[in-house]
Amino acid sequence: MFNSIDSLTAFVHAAQLGSFSAAARHMGKSQSTVSEAISQLEIDAGVALFDRRTRQPTLTAAGTRLLSHAQHVLHSHAALRQQALALQSGEEAQLSIVLSDTFQSQAFETLLTAFAERFPLLRLECLVGEDDDVLALLRSGRAQLGVMRAQGRYQADVSAQALPGHTAMALYVGAEHPLAQAAQVNEAQLLQHRELRLSTYTSSPAGPHSPRCWLAPSYLLLLELTARNFGWAALPTWLAAQFGHGQLVQLNTANWPQATTLDLVWLRTAQLGPAACWLIEQLQHAGHTAAAR
Amino acid sequence: MFNSIDSLTAFVHAAQLGSFSAAARHMGKSQSTVSEAISQLEIDAGVALFDRRTRQPTLTAAGTRLLSHAQHVLHSHAALRQQALALQSGEEAQLSIVLSDTFQSQAFETLLTAFAERFPLLRLECLVGEDDDVLALLRSGRAQLGVMRAQGRYQADVSAQALPGHTAMALYVGAEHPLAQAAQVNEAQLLQHRELRLSTYTSSPAGPHSPRCWLAPSYLLLLELTARNFGWAALPTWLAAQFGHGQLVQLNTANWPQATTLDLVWLRTAQLGPAACWLIEQLQHAGHTAAAR
DNA sequence: CAGTTACCATCGGCTTTACCGATAGATAGG
DNA sequence: CCTATCTATCGGTAAAGCCGATGGTAACTG
């Protein structure tokens, strides 16, 4: 039968081994089964697949042509079965995680290579969000895991776990900004210039420091605005170092730079799959190398 | 059953239509068959594919993930069936043709686009050979069709058919060759310089014109040697025009350039498939535009 | 040149399963 | 509340997949 995977398997094995009997042994079936399966296959195809004049049946030209197609079918079918096996073992179908830009993605990538080996079929989605956006994405079910700046406290349905290491935040201006030349900058001076501040999609920002204030939803966008001298901003130092291209100047201000810890957060109500649990475990143990810059 | 294509078809249709009954109607089977097939599929997969709490069953996350794999299987299976259908209708599995470099390939390509549409699954192989190499490839079964310089007569097992149009052959030297400046060249002068002559793999060349003679198995290689001023050669004019890059000079000699007709040849004993017959027919009719430059 | 071995095709019988129609429970819409 | 439509389930039937046995054939061997 053309519609039976087993028939195609018999065909491919017979073609590769050059023997129906060997294919039957290989599949744990009787020789007559393989012979009949291939006969039926030839009836369905309307052409002979094997030349049986010799002792060892050899593929005909048509058989050669169909063999590659049959192998393709078997490959995709094997992928289907493997995916089913992964799902059967409880593996989630898709894992979405939200990362804050304060979390250095570069170090995270080494962990991802191990993740790809461990869960080769899992679809992974990486989102970027800050602060309450992260929590909103978790609550909406859009994501299962988040990495965000440590909040003082969380609502009852949120599990949080501190990641080892720190992320430093500092104040920056563009190289052409008036404050760029100042050796020391106090808070009064800051208030006289425009602040570039992180906003989130879900909530309006808390009372702005500066009366003149621009908002952007990502640190990368803030960095761009800062580099174009539109104002000063608090940015992760690693982001400024990696994407600042020397156009940023760090301000020397009291209480800055500040060290921030990162929290790994997830919903207490959502039962996490093995991939999410594996990620959590890896992040909190090998996380030393991932979070420390 | 995971091993049945029909089950996967039922699964995919049900997922796309959002209804087992609709899928059953679409497949010409009863509703219970589809229901049982998907049930069995879920047992094999070990996960639920559909969420049946609502009236219209909707895919679960695992079902969504498996759906794409199942579709992939069905696509490759459809390709298999289509190939089988093509072979069943008598279409050859592979067509190999040998083209002489005297046949302008550029014009041939327009014919090939039509060929690709007419026989989308056929594997086509284009070989290059000259004179008796073409016939040797036909006899060995390596190729089914050949285009070569018209020979005076052929052996009994070869069918030959003149292609409309002509191919001009002319004598060339490189721009730096001693003969390049001559307004007129006679045969005695030619004999004083090295001839670059076409040889074939199968037979030693007929008595050379020139006592100093280099041999090469393809016109393109001859052209290269000529351009480097190693001697004079008889080349197809279209080849010299297209690949000579202005480095070739055509000699003004009695009896040159010569017009050569091309023959389409095949073995009388080999029964040709529809694709080969189609090509023969196209070449001798629409061949006007293909062979005429 | 037999003898042997391994191979394939075929047949009868058994088991499995794919399929259908009927039926019952459930859900959305009038 | 009623109806139409959906899915799940059950029993019966036809088909298929599968096996073991048998016979014929090609290659190897002494």
Side-chain angles (χ1 to χ4, degrees):
Chain A
M1 262 315 188
F2 245 144
N3 292 357
S4 151
I5 294 292
D6 283 349
S7 305
L8 296 181
T9 309
F11 169 42
V12 170
H13 279 160
Q16 287 173 341
L17 299 171
S19 155
F20 292 4
S21 305
R25 288 190 292 268
H26 206 266
M27 297 175 64
K29 300 193 174 182
S30 80
Q31 174 263 324
S32 61
T33 301
V34 171
S35 176
E36 284 167 352
I38 293 183
S39 281
Q40 188 62 39
L41 219 50
E42 288 177 317
I43 291 173
D44 290 350
V47 290
L49 298 175
F50 288 94
D51 180 1
R52 295 167 169 84
R53 285 172 306 183
T54 66
R55 182 144 130 115
Q56 305 257 77
T58 55
L59 279 176
T60 61
T64 309
R65 205 77 196 86
L66 285 175
L67 174 63
S68 57
H69 288 268
Q71 284 173 322
H72 192 194
V73 175
L74 291 187
H75 280 151
S76 50
H77 181 255
L80 170 67
R81 290 196 53 204
Q82 199 177 348
Q83 174 71 72
L85 224 63
L87 293 170
Q88 193 170 15
S89 75
E91 186 177 308
E92 52 269 58
Q94 172 167 336
L95 179 62
S96 297
I97 63 183
V98 204
L99 299 175
S100 161
D101 269 336
T102 55
F103 185 58
Q104 186 174 15
S105 60
Q106 187 183 349
F108 186 53
E109 286 164 10
T110 64
L111 178 56
L112 284 188
T113 62
F115 181 83
E117 274 186 31
R118 179 79 178 74
F119 302 96
L121 291 115
L122 184 60
R123 166 172 288 175
L124 179 69
E125 182 182 30
C126 286
L127 304 168
V128 172
E130 308 294 339
D131 298 343
D132 28 294
D133 281 345
V134 175
L135 298 174
L137 287 170
L138 292 184
R139 291 215 174 79
S140 69
R142 185 71 181 77
Q144 290 84 50
L145 235 56
V147 170
M148 63 188 295
R149 287 199 300 185
Q151 311 289 306
R153 57 182 194 180
Y154 298 90
Q155 295 194 354
D157 58 340
V158 174
S159 274
Q161 188 162 53
L163 288 179
H166 302 277
T167 296
M169 302 281 292
L171 300 187
Y172 291 92
V173 292
E176 312 293 330
H177 192 273
L179 290 178
Q181 307 300 332
Q184 177 89 21
V185 176
N186 59 32
E187 195 159 334
Q189 290 173 288
L190 284 180
L191 287 175
Q192 290 170 5
H193 294 90
R194 182 186 294 120
E195 178 181 2
L196 305 173
R197 171 177 260 235
L198 188 74
S199 72
T200 58
Y201 287 107
T202 44
S203 71
S204 54
H209 268 200
S210 195
R212 297 159 63 196
C213 183
W214 283 8
L215 301 171
S218 87
Y219 279 113
L220 213 54
L221 191 49
L222 280 183
L223 185 147
E224 283 293 322
L225 295 174
T226 310
R228 307 246 166 117
N229 305 296
F230 286 115
W232 58 270
L235 300 174
T237 55
W238 76 268
L239 201 75
Q242 191 157 354
F243 298 107
H245 298 301
Q247 301 170 26
L248 294 184
V249 175
Q250 184 172 335
L251 296 183
N252 185 9
T253 315
N255 301 328
W256 292 88
Q258 297 178 347
T260 310
T261 41
L262 296 176
D263 275 0
L264 185 61
V265 292
W266 63 92
L267 277 197
R268 207 178 291 277
T269 55
Q271 68 267 38
L272 299 177
C277 296
W278 185 90
L279 258 188
I280 291 176
E281 186 156 340
Q282 294 293 316
L283 276 172
Q284 69 182 347
H285 286 118
H288 282 290
T289 50
R293 278 164 303 103
Chain B
M1 262 313 189
F2 244 142
N3 292 357
S4 150
I5 293 292
D6 283 350
S7 306
L8 296 181
T9 309
F11 169 40
V12 170
H13 279 160
Q16 288 173 341
L17 298 171
S19 154
F20 293 4
S21 304
R25 289 191 291 268
H26 206 266
M27 297 174 64
K29 300 192 175 183
S30 81
Q31 174 265 324
S32 61
T33 300
V34 171
S35 176
E36 285 166 353
I38 292 182
S39 280
Q40 188 62 38
L41 219 50
E42 287 177 317
I43 292 174
D44 291 351
V47 289
L49 299 175
F50 288 94
D51 180 0
R52 297 167 167 82
R53 286 173 303 185
T54 66
R55 182 143 129 117
Q56 305 257 76
T58 55
L59 278 176
T60 61
T64 309
R65 203 80 195 84
L66 285 175
L67 174 63
S68 57
H69 288 267
Q71 284 173 322
H72 192 194
V73 175
L74 291 187
H75 281 150
S76 50
H77 182 255
L80 170 66
R81 289 196 53 203
Q82 198 177 349
Q83 175 71 74
L85 224 64
L87 292 170
Q88 193 171 16
S89 75
E91 185 177 309
E92 52 270 59
Q94 172 167 334
L95 179 62
S96 295
I97 62 183
V98 203
L99 299 175
S100 161
D101 269 335
T102 54
F103 184 57
Q104 187 174 15
S105 60
Q106 186 183 347
F108 185 53
E109 284 164 12
T110 63
L111 177 57
L112 283 189
T113 62
F115 181 84
E117 274 187 32
R118 180 78 180 74
F119 302 97
L121 290 116
L122 183 60
R123 165 172 286 175
L124 178 70
E125 182 182 30
C126 286
L127 304 168
V128 172
E130 307 294 338
D131 297 343
D132 30 292
D133 281 345
V134 175
L135 297 175
L137 287 170
L138 292 184
R139 290 214 177 79
S140 70
R142 186 71 182 76
Q144 290 84 48
L145 235 55
V147 170
M148 62 189 293
R149 287 199 300 184
Q151 313 287 305
R153 56 183 196 178
Y154 298 90
Q155 296 193 356
D157 58 340
V158 173
S159 273
Q161 187 161 51
L163 288 179
H166 302 277
T167 296
M169 302 282 290
L171 299 187
Y172 291 92
V173 292
E176 312 293 328
H177 192 274
L179 291 178
Q181 306 301 331
Q184 177 90 18
V185 176
N186 59 31
E187 195 158 333
Q189 288 174 290
L190 284 179
L191 286 175
Q192 289 169 5
H193 293 90
R194 182 186 294 119
E195 176 181 3
L196 304 175
R197 169 177 264 237
L198 188 73
S199 72
T200 58
Y201 288 108
T202 44
S203 71
S204 53
H209 266 201
S210 196
R212 299 160 63 197
C213 183
W214 283 9
L215 301 170
S218 85
Y219 279 114
L220 213 53
L221 190 50
L222 280 183
L223 184 147
E224 283 293 323
L225 294 174
T226 309
R228 307 247 165 117
N229 305 296
F230 286 114
W232 58 270
L235 299 174
T237 55
W238 76 268
L239 201 74
Q242 190 157 353
F243 298 107
H245 297 300
Q247 300 169 27
L248 295 184
V249 174
Q250 185 173 334
L251 295 183
N252 184 10
T253 316
N255 301 327
W256 291 90
Q258 298 178 349
T260 310
T261 40
L262 296 176
D263 275 359
L264 184 62
V265 293
W266 65 93
L267 278 197
R268 206 177 293 277
T269 56
Q271 67 267 38
L272 298 177
C277 296
W278 184 90
L279 257 189
I280 291 176
E281 185 157 341
Q282 295 293 316
L283 275 172
Q284 67 184 348
H285 286 119
H288 281 290
T289 50
R293 280 164 302 101

